[in-house]
Amino acid sequence: MQNNKIAPITIVIPTAGRVKNITTKLIHSVQDYVDQIILFDNKRQFNKKDFAENVLVIRKNDLAVNPAWQKGVEMARNDTVVLMNDDILFNHNEGELFEEIIFELSNNQWSVVGADNSGMVMFDEESELPSELPYEGFYCTKAEKRNENWGAFIALNKHLMVPIHEDLKIYYGDDIIFNFSPLMHPHAKCCGKMWFKWYHRMSSTSSQINDDIRDFEIQLYSVIIEGLNRRLEAR
């Protein structure tokens, strides 16, 4: 590991290995700046020896994204946890980004920091990656509602993590975190403007998606929302 300032952060990345090369680049780009990375390897494609000592590779068979997030938060040895897609690549100083994440969550008392759409550039093939993106520095603004791509990058204090129902495997985990983490914390959510490139393939869970699963989780989410709203009203 290089002699960089190490942020007391645990990164959690679920993956099915569909974009292995991008995931490997992602981990290499951040492993020198954070204390711990937990990679849930659902297809047994990654080797621990390819990464730094602070990267924990856990081989699982089709552990879906929401249970992986939940397990990663439970295993994290740091209070600050970043739930991250396996198909994003940053375009600026990752060390500065994680220092700012710590600052925003502690000094400004935000409950959750998530990705803002304006800082994302989508691409379909690695050959299409733009070499340069504008970078104006990382900053946060209050978010009244969750944007479409919130779940690509979510940072929060693990003690504010709202448990995701065990039968909610693929969908709505990011909605629950965004909408109900403030149940345990009085301050607002926010979006961070962090420029990155996103393959946008849902590569951590795509092998498990079908109409039956989607319909079941839509119905289950409605029930969960009713219960969480009752908790919110009771506060």
Side-chain angles (χ1 to χ4, degrees):
M1 183 174 293
Q2 300 173 9
N3 187 24
N4 296 312
K5 184 175 181 180
I6 307 301
I9 287 176
T10 294
I11 293 176
V12 178
I13 306 174
T15 183
R18 291 186 63 240
V19 287
K20 181 181 178 181
N21 189 40
I22 293 171
T23 305
T24 300
K25 286 184 176 181
L26 168 64
I27 294 173
H28 285 163
S29 73
V30 299
Q31 65 185 7
D32 292 333
Y33 300 101
V34 298
D35 176 61
Q36 182 186 37
I37 299 172
I38 302 174
L39 177 70
F40 288 100
D41 179 10
N42 289 311
K43 297 299 181 183
R44 300 175 178 266
Q45 294 195 25
F46 294 86
N47 294 314
K48 172 67 182 75
K49 65 181 182 180
D50 294 330
F51 305 112
E53 293 181 0
N54 61 332
V55 180
L56 179 61
V57 178
I58 299 177
R59 291 184 167 181
K60 293 284 188 179
N61 292 322
D62 287 324
L63 180 67
V65 60
N66 291 337
W69 282 355
Q70 194 77 52
K71 184 66 175 176
V73 169
E74 293 170 1
M75 295 176 59
R77 65 190 183 201
N78 298 285
D79 286 343
T80 301
V81 177
V82 177
L83 309 174
M84 195 179 297
N85 272 27
D86 66 347
D87 54 357
I88 63 177
L89 295 171
F90 296 99
N91 194 58
H92 51 81
N93 188 308
E94 290 84 355
E96 177 185 341
L97 169 63
F98 293 120
E99 288 180 16
E100 291 296 330
I101 289 291
I102 293 289
F103 174 83
E104 294 292 344
L105 289 176
S106 58
N107 292 14
N108 287 343
Q109 301 293 300
W110 299 109
S111 54
V112 186
V113 173
D116 173 37
N117 282 359
S118 66
M120 300 180 188
V121 173
M122 307 295 184
F123 64 98
D124 290 324
E125 301 294 341
E126 193 168 356
S127 60
E128 297 180 5
L129 280 174
S131 58
E132 295 293 336
L133 291 174
Y135 177 53
E136 303 164 358
F138 173 78
Y139 60 89
C140 286
T141 56
K142 184 177 179 180
E144 296 295 345
K145 64 180 182 178
R146 170 197 179 282
N147 66 50
E148 179 182 0
N149 301 314
W150 170 268
F153 183 106
I154 304 172
L156 75 163
N157 185 298
K158 69 178 182 180
H159 302 293
L160 302 181
M161 177 77 168
V162 176
I164 301 172
H165 193 285
E166 62 181 3
D167 291 327
L168 206 60
K169 305 291 187 182
I170 297 173
Y171 298 98
Y172 299 115
D174 47 358
D175 293 271
I176 289 175
I177 293 170
F178 179 83
N179 289 312
F180 296 102
S181 288
L183 279 172
M184 304 173 67
H185 193 289
H187 297 281
K189 292 83 63 173
C190 69
C191 288
K193 190 169 183 179
M194 57 198 89
W195 284 98
F196 61 79
K197 309 149 189 175
W198 191 15
Y199 196 68
H200 199 196
R201 285 288 195 268
M202 293 186 71
S203 54
S204 60
T205 57
S206 57
S207 64
Q208 304 167 11
I209 296 174
N210 60 53
D211 290 341
D212 290 340
I213 291 175
R214 184 181 292 108
D215 291 344
F216 170 77
E217 295 200 4
I218 289 173
Q219 296 176 22
L220 177 59
Y221 179 66
S222 297
V223 174
I224 292 170
I225 286 296
E226 289 180 8
L228 289 174
N229 277 327
R230 285 195 295 269
R231 286 178 57 193
L232 185 59
E233 293 170 358
R235 289 177 63 87

